[in-house]
Amino acid sequence: MGRVTKTELIESAEQLLKMSKKIAHPLAGARLRAFYLYKSGQAKAYGQIAAAVGYERHAVGQWFRLYKQKGLQACLQIDPGGHKRASQIAGKVLEQLKAKLADPNNYFTSYKQIHEWLHTAHGIDLSYEHVHWFVHRQLGAKLKVVRKSNLKKDLAYEQKYKKN
């Protein structure tokens, strides 16, 4: 059957249901639905609640322990995790890079050039993959260069079929 919870919820079932409909984060909404199911008497064991909200029973047990220890507000605060660090490409370096990417006369033709420029001009030693990701994803730049024309192309033949 599973472990039976023994938690006294301060909020009413109606309050929990209203809050679960208003909240935007899916994990916080699932936690509120779990508390609602318990408070309304629809489910009493962690396994039943977990099956209803779509999470593991161990997670539901952690939610109820968190509620006992810190209350509902702690259950609604979701920490995205990860280590947020500032990029090494920032400030003047970032401005120079953006200006160089936007300049039609003096531009980069490859991500390798950008990688080497950052290393030689600014002493920033990043991996090629990070430079590519940053320039392509963060800055939205596309390094497209006009390709050279075919040397064996017959210009007279091209003029004959060219549309005017």
Side-chain angles (χ1 to χ4, degrees):
M1 177 74 177
R3 189 172 182 176
V4 177
T5 62
K6 294 175 184 159
T7 306
E8 291 298 321
L9 298 174
I10 299 169
E11 296 79 16
S12 69
E14 293 79 25
Q15 288 175 327
L16 292 169
L17 185 61
K18 285 180 185 176
M19 289 171 66
S20 71
K21 289 181 180 179
K22 289 181 184 177
I23 198 143
H25 199 281
L27 179 58
R31 289 177 180 180
L32 285 170
R33 283 191 305 279
F35 296 146
Y36 166 74
L37 290 172
Y38 176 73
K39 184 71 174 189
S40 66
Q42 296 178 23
K44 289 291 182 188
Y46 291 154
Q48 293 173 336
I49 296 169
V53 295
Y55 283 85
E56 292 289 326
R57 63 182 174 85
H58 301 290
V60 172
Q62 289 175 347
W63 299 345
F64 277 91
R65 272 192 300 281
L66 182 63
Y67 183 88
K68 279 182 188 177
Q69 294 169 356
K70 297 184 180 178
L72 183 64
Q73 288 303 319
C75 293
L76 299 181
Q77 293 175 350
I78 308 299
D79 181 26
H83 301 287
K84 306 291 186 245
R85 292 187 305 173
S87 176
Q88 290 182 352
I89 306 172
K92 289 183 180 180
V93 178
L94 181 60
E95 290 173 15
Q96 289 177 2
L97 178 60
K98 284 181 180 179
K100 215 163 168 159
L101 287 169
D103 187 11
N105 299 326
N106 186 15
Y107 54 87
F108 294 112
T109 57
S110 68
Y111 293 103
K112 187 70 175 169
Q113 272 187 339
I114 299 172
H115 181 253
E116 290 171 357
W117 177 77
L118 286 170
H119 181 69
T120 57
H122 299 286
I124 297 174
D125 193 25
L126 296 171
S127 67
Y128 171 84
E129 290 79 14
H130 180 77
V131 171
H132 178 274
W133 174 84
F134 185 81
V135 171
H136 187 71
R137 297 288 180 178
Q138 294 294 106
L139 300 180
K142 295 182 181 178
L143 303 180
K144 294 187 176 179
V145 181
V146 178
R147 302 288 182 234
K148 293 181 180 177
S149 182
N150 188 355
L151 296 174
K152 298 178 185 177
K153 181 170 55 175
D154 186 10
L155 294 176
Y157 186 78
E158 184 181 351
Q159 288 296 334
K160 180 180 174 184
Y161 289 101
K162 188 173 185 180
K163 294 182 180 179
N164 292 329

